[in-house]
Amino acid sequence: MTTTDLEHATSYSPLPDSDHHRPPPSQWRRPITLLSGIFLFMLLFSSLIALVINQHGQQQIAGDGTPLSSNSAPAAKKVLEPISRGVSQGVSEKSNFQLSSAAAVVETYPWTNAMLSWQRTGFHFQPPKNWMNDPNGPLYHMGWYHLFYQYNPDAAVWGNITWGHAISTDLINWYHLPFAMVPDQWYDIKGVWTGSATILPDGQIVMMYTGDTNEEVQVQNLAYPANLSDPLLLDWVKYSGNPVLTPPPGIGSKDFRDPTTAWVGPNGKWRVALGTKVNKTGITLVYETTDFTSYELLDEVLHAVPGTGMWECVDFYPVSTTESNGLDTSVNGPGIKHVLKSSLDDNKHDYYALGTYDPISNKWTPDNPDLDVGIGLRVDYGKYYASKSFYDQNKQRRLLLGWTGETDSEAADILKGWASLQTIPREVVFDKKTGKNILQWPIKEVEKLRSKSTVYKKVLLEPGSLVPLDIGAATQLDIIATFDIDSTVLEAALEADVGYNCTTSGGSSSRGAFGPFGLVVLADESRTEQTPVYFYIAKGTDGVASTYFCADQSKSSTASDVVKLIYGSTVPVLDGENFSMRLLVDHSIVESFGQGGRTVITSRVYPTKAIYSAAKVFLFNNATGITVTANVNAWNMDSANIK
Amino acid sequence: MKFFCLFIFLSLQTPLMVIGDRRLIESTCKATPSYSLCLSTLLSNPKSSSGDVSDLGLIMVGATKVKATQAIQHIKTLYRVHPELRHSLNECSQVYMAVVKADVPSAVQALDGGQPKFAEDGMADTAVEAQACERSFSGRGQKSPLTQMNKDIENVANVARAIIRMLL
């Protein structure tokens, strides 16, 4: 500083040898003394006020009504209840220990190497080690399916997020490729987060993704392949003008992420959606663009649902109500409904709803507002999050990928060196029979892993039956089972198990008149460990029967540091249908599909005994009032090549 | 002259700021399992006076890191002096390395990035690892030289976790 401009100096340190800058002492001495006096007085006065208020405050602090003595330091012996903030629906799934109190810590099971290494899957996508979460930018290009995913290169916990990359010709056997994107720019240095791909009519691939900037602001960035004629799409270029989107006014800088695949609007411009929230209302913003570098935020949100909180990983796509093929994301017209899906940050579940999209007003309206996004149907009732669909133009299918995290302890994850799986890709179609939900079904390609087949026909299961199935190695299986019951018995009953709920039911050992019945997998001979997946029919006071489809982890392991919830929901069963389930069993993951994929449940299980050759499969009927006839087709599954 | 007035003005703000944030610190610590540990840890860090709950969480995670790093150093010293405790000390060293290298960075990044759900796992695990270290001695019929240290880390991690849960 060369001036004597004291007026404008806000943080001013006197220049050491600039005598002519020092104010002449004689002019300032008296005012300084006066000012110092005033200053000291005011400081003392306000400190006194502060002290009084603090003391007063302390006396009001004990929340349970017991006043603390005004001199008692916070080191008083009083133990204050921690306020638990678990999800109101029941046990919180945020923490892997079903605990609402942070004080209690479950003892770690003494996991052996044999137990831990058994947990790795045979045919589910996972990197060789470390942490994975959301699937990103899935696409098909020049003969290869591409999967990108959130990955931590350094540890088996979330962090340092990078885009992992793998390719496949069949979505079952995979090749791991080098990272597609790493956090190396100021606009994604704190994390290269989730994004989606849009394939333009001319074949160009546009990748939009969220970057966490050096100042922890969430922004949207553009990237594209360095070489479009490279079928492996090894190298990616980040647009030099990134970020292309920053949080708009009124939206929190940490509430702005996960851009969707774009679709064409009625004016020929592209539209991209992002989930966010305003207070506790989850909303979806829509931006318009022609070039993916400059955007205009549309005034109206696509949709909003109060009370649902932050919407992550929004997905928005059309389904045909008449045909069985999938549709490109831009398709619209008669015979089409739109699925709006959101991952709710508040409870870590994926929800969806069917509705109608009006492109002119850019509004999506749910078919049934009572089952709107976030308050109605879940994509999967188990451990499943951040799912993302894409249009597979190769086979004209809408495919769905989803992240399945671990439900064991983080300590075990660190010990075994990895965490998380991707589910087997599912084909998504509209359920023409019910008209009210989608169907998810494992892609046909998974059937190529089927090796030995074992068929059981017309197995009669009286009440209380347990029938072992001789299937050989029972840790990698594809099982389809159908169950028939005498419906006249069911019709005759006035009511049964009113208010049944998979989660609070007590599991497969809780016997009702018309349930539970189904399969038991990953069980040891004496069933000290077992994972039953079953149907349970309840009849309401109105005489209407509801069928529940549940996966019971309550006795899945003797270890105490794993989640032991019972997952599930109702599943529509139409007149004339029997009860059908399909299970993909693959070591520590079981994907269960009820009624052709109307209700899907992904479970993670960590048995200590029912592993390797000790794992068995049973049919069971624990209902008291009905006999069940079962047909089973079980295939042993080869491992996939994932290298 | 102007500078002087500004200085006075700013100084007068200090007690007022202290009032407001002290309330936040106290109410935050009330909701953790160790009120006094929480209060003393936060108050001894000057950043707590101007922080929101996420910042308080970060301070607590930082304190956890400090204690875990100290534990690793202490374990190295004990290793030389107590060869009979080698196996247990080795286990303890490994679990605390995991805390410092994986759990803490994950929690810090997650809190900074506005993704508290990923932060909770790291601190939950830290408490588990501290317990695991303590049990590695009892499991071998040995007396643990790290009991107080392990307890301290478990407590501070539980406090951090409780603060993080407030953000969920």
Side-chain angles (χ1 to χ4, degrees):
Chain A
M1 256 197 315
T2 55
T3 73
T4 56
D5 207 2
L6 283 171
E7 330 270 19
H8 296 115
T10 48
S11 60
Y12 173 82
S13 34
L15 298 169
D17 57 322
S18 43
D19 283 326
H20 60 281
H21 293 289
R22 212 181 305 141
S26 57
Q27 281 179 284
W28 289 92
R29 193 173 290 129
R30 243 177 296 129
I32 281 180
T33 320
L34 182 62
L35 282 167
S36 312
I38 293 173
F39 161 66
L40 278 167
F41 171 74
M42 293 181 91
L43 187 60
L44 276 166
F45 184 67
S46 50
S47 300
L48 196 64
I49 293 175
L51 199 64
V52 169
I53 291 179
N54 260 329
Q55 290 290 5
H56 181 62
Q58 268 185 9
Q59 284 177 330
Q60 293 173 329
I61 267 163
D64 57 357
T66 331
L68 297 169
S69 72
S70 56
N71 284 330
S72 91
K77 300 297 186 304
K78 185 155 206 62
V79 173
L80 296 161
E81 274 298 327
I83 297 170
S84 73
R85 293 185 84 239
V87 176
S88 59
Q89 282 103 309
V91 179
S92 169
E93 287 195 41
K94 294 178 190 64
S95 139
N96 285 342
F97 296 95
Q98 303 153 244
L99 303 167
S100 50
S101 157
V105 178
V106 175
E107 190 166 300
T108 315
Y109 186 81
W111 295 100
T112 64
N113 276 336
M115 293 168 190
L116 292 179
S117 47
W118 176 87
Q119 292 171 11
R120 271 193 85 84
T121 63
F123 55 93
H124 279 74
F125 179 82
Q126 54 182 128
K129 59 177 184 165
N130 290 342
W131 167 277
M132 165 171 67
N133 54 295
D134 307 3
N136 298 150
L139 61 95
Y140 177 84
H141 174 75
M142 289 177 75
W144 292 95
Y145 290 96
H146 290 257
L147 169 65
F148 305 91
Y149 54 94
Q150 301 281 277
Y151 180 68
N152 184 348
D154 301 322
V157 297
W158 183 89
N160 315 311
I161 296 295
T162 301
W163 269 39
H165 185 188
I167 53 173
S168 173
T169 53
D170 58 9
L171 295 160
I172 297 296
N173 300 292
W174 295 89
Y175 291 99
H176 294 298
L177 294 183
F179 300 142
M181 292 195 282
V182 298
D184 59 3
Q185 303 298 317
W186 68 266
Y187 49 77
D188 60 19
I189 194 83
K190 298 275 185 166
V192 184
W193 290 354
T194 291
S196 307
T198 304
I199 302 183
L200 307 189
D202 63 359
Q204 287 274 5
I205 296 173
V206 167
M207 193 72 82
M208 282 192 71
Y209 71 96
T210 300
D212 197 27
T213 71
N214 56 347
E215 293 182 350
E216 280 108 24
V217 175
Q218 293 170 7
V219 298
Q220 315 315 318
N221 303 307
L222 173 64
Y224 48 89
N227 182 1
L228 204 60
S229 43
D230 169 19
L232 305 191
L233 295 178
L234 280 172
D235 299 303
W236 289 77
V237 174
K238 296 178 186 177
Y239 170 57
S240 57
N242 277 333
V244 295
L245 280 174
T246 55
I251 297 298
S253 62
K254 298 188 186 191
D255 298 330
F256 187 61
R257 52 187 182 271
D258 312 332
T260 64
T261 295
W263 68 94
V264 178
N267 47 13
K269 294 188 191 172
W270 290 96
R271 290 178 173 175
V272 175
L274 279 117
T276 180
K277 65 171 173 172
V278 174
N279 294 326
K280 289 215 114 343
T281 298
I283 66 173
T284 298
L285 303 175
V286 179
Y287 286 86
E288 266 189 347
T289 182
T290 50
D291 54 7
F292 291 92
T293 54
S294 64
Y295 295 78
E296 190 199 314
L297 177 61
L298 296 183
D299 287 333
E300 295 281 324
V301 300
L302 181 67
H303 195 57
V305 182
T308 52
M310 175 68 188
W311 282 21
E312 302 190 282
C313 299
V314 164
D315 197 8
F316 181 62
Y317 59 90
V319 289
S320 171
T321 56
T322 54
E323 312 302 316
S324 30
N325 52 281
L327 300 172
D328 179 279
T329 311
S330 295
V331 170
N332 204 350
I336 284 170
K337 283 190 185 292
H338 273 75
V339 172
L340 179 60
K341 168 260 163 187
S342 173
S343 295
L344 292 198
D345 197 17
D346 284 357
N347 62 22
K348 292 178 84 175
H349 296 318
D350 279 9
Y351 291 83
Y352 80 97
L354 283 160
T356 309
Y357 176 56
D358 175 7
I360 310 293
S361 62
N362 187 48
K363 282 278 173 208
W364 174 87
T365 313
D367 287 346
N368 181 354
D370 290 335
L371 297 179
D372 207 339
V373 179
I375 60 174
L377 298 175
R378 279 171 57 179
V379 178
D380 184 303
Y381 287 87
K383 181 72 178 176
Y384 186 87
Y385 198 66
S387 60
K388 182 178 291 297
S389 75
F390 73 105
Y391 176 59
D392 167 17
Q393 69 271 31
N394 179 39
K395 297 199 172 170
Q396 286 156 36
R397 305 179 285 191
R398 171 66 49 176
L399 298 181
L400 180 67
L401 302 166
W403 163 46
T404 296
E406 301 296 308
T407 59
D408 64 353
S409 69
E410 295 78 14
D413 296 344
I414 289 174
L415 209 51
K416 72 195 188 194
W418 62 271
S420 299
L421 308 168
Q422 298 291 330
T423 54
I424 296 295
R426 300 169 185 173
E427 186 174 352
V428 175
V429 294
F430 175 73
D431 188 349
K432 288 182 231 166
K433 293 182 186 160
T434 63
K436 296 182 181 170
N437 51 270
I438 56 172
L439 293 170
Q440 301 168 59
W441 198 244
I443 48 170
K444 195 143 179 68
E445 287 90 326
V446 81
E447 295 172 21
K448 67 166 78 166
L449 297 175
R450 290 174 171 173
S451 56
K452 190 183 78 171
S453 159
T454 310
V455 177
Y456 285 83
K457 283 204 167 86
K458 290 203 168 65
V459 181
L460 199 68
L461 301 166
E462 306 267 343
S465 298
L466 181 74
V467 174
L469 301 181
D470 184 10
I471 295 183
T475 46
Q476 287 177 210
L477 297 170
D478 184 356
I479 314 177
I480 295 182
T482 60
F483 303 88
D484 289 278
I485 64 171
D486 182 354
S487 54
T488 55
V489 179
L490 179 59
E491 275 150 33
L494 290 173
E495 65 174 55
D497 295 297
V498 177
Y500 186 85
N501 179 318
C502 291
T503 307
T504 54
S505 62
S508 61
S509 52
S510 283
R511 309 185 65 178
F514 308 114
F517 56 89
L519 286 165
V520 185
V521 296
L522 295 171
D524 59 323
E525 192 87 56
S526 53
R527 288 172 309 111
T528 41
E529 291 179 337
Q530 57 173 11
T531 301
V533 178
Y534 57 85
F535 291 105
Y536 196 108
I537 310 165
K539 212 165 181 192
T541 49
D542 55 359
V544 175
S546 300
T547 306
Y548 291 80
F549 182 55
C550 318
D552 178 3
Q553 281 76 236
S554 61
K555 292 186 186 63
S556 56
S557 175
T558 48
S560 52
D561 56 347
V562 300
V563 169
K564 292 185 182 175
L565 294 171
I566 305 161
Y567 302 137
S569 174
T570 50
V571 61
V573 178
L574 304 178
D575 279 339
E577 287 182 354
N578 56 16
F579 302 88
S580 75
M581 61 168 74
R582 179 178 182 185
L583 272 56
L584 290 176
V585 179
D586 188 6
H587 297 258
S588 59
I589 185 171
V590 179
E591 293 187 58
S592 306
F593 298 81
Q595 293 310 99
R598 286 187 185 137
T599 296
V600 186
I601 309 170
T602 301
S603 307
R604 297 301 311 276
V605 291
Y606 308 92
T608 64
K609 298 183 174 60
I611 60 179
Y612 298 109
S613 52
K616 308 261 174 261
V617 181
F618 299 82
L619 274 169
F620 82 103
N621 174 18
N622 247 0
T624 56
I626 45 167
T627 294
V628 179
T629 308
N631 291 292
V632 179
N633 202 338
W635 293 267
N636 298 91
M637 296 291 269
D638 289 336
S639 293
N641 286 317
I642 303 177
K643 39 181 176 229
Chain B
M1 177 59 197
K2 287 261 167 84
F3 160 69
F4 221 83
C5 290
L6 189 67
F7 178 69
I8 293 170
F9 177 71
L10 287 172
S11 305
L12 290 174
Q13 296 308 304
T14 311
L16 296 170
M17 280 192 321
V18 167
I19 295 169
D21 295 292
R22 174 94 186 204
R23 277 241 162 96
L24 176 65
I25 293 170
E26 281 168 343
S27 65
T28 300
C29 287
K30 238 183 51 170
T32 70
S34 309
Y35 180 69
S36 56
L37 171 65
C38 175
L39 209 63
S40 59
T41 308
L42 290 179
L43 289 177
S44 63
N45 186 318
K47 287 196 197 135
S48 66
S49 63
S50 53
D52 57 15
V53 177
S54 184
D55 295 322
L56 299 182
L58 278 166
I59 292 172
M60 204 53 72
V61 171
T64 309
K65 180 181 185 181
V66 166
K67 287 197 192 289
T69 310
Q70 285 169 348
I72 293 170
Q73 290 311 311
H74 190 54
I75 288 165
K76 281 189 184 146
T77 315
L78 288 173
Y79 203 78
R80 285 188 286 272
V81 177
H82 288 283
E84 74 282 7
L85 299 176
R86 261 195 187 162
H87 293 291
S88 308
L89 288 171
N90 196 30
E91 262 186 55
C92 285
S93 174
Q94 282 180 24
V95 303
Y96 282 125
M97 285 300 281
V99 166
V100 171
K101 293 257 179 289
D103 289 331
V104 166
S106 180
V108 169
Q109 273 190 45
L111 281 173
D112 276 345
Q115 305 241 27
K117 63 177 180 274
F118 291 123
E120 190 192 355
D121 287 350
M123 288 298 106
D125 186 50
T126 301
V128 168
E129 305 288 13
Q131 284 198 335
C133 167
E134 188 60 16
R135 269 200 317 276
S136 67
F137 294 98
S138 53
R140 290 184 175 86
Q142 296 167 332
K143 185 167 176 348
S144 163
L146 297 170
T147 304
Q148 191 53 55
M149 195 160 242
N150 288 332
K151 205 63 191 160
D152 285 348
I153 292 172
E154 187 187 336
N155 288 341
V156 77
N158 280 333
V159 169
R161 184 187 179 191
I163 297 178
I164 292 165
R165 284 186 74 86
M166 295 174 207
L167 300 164
L168 295 177

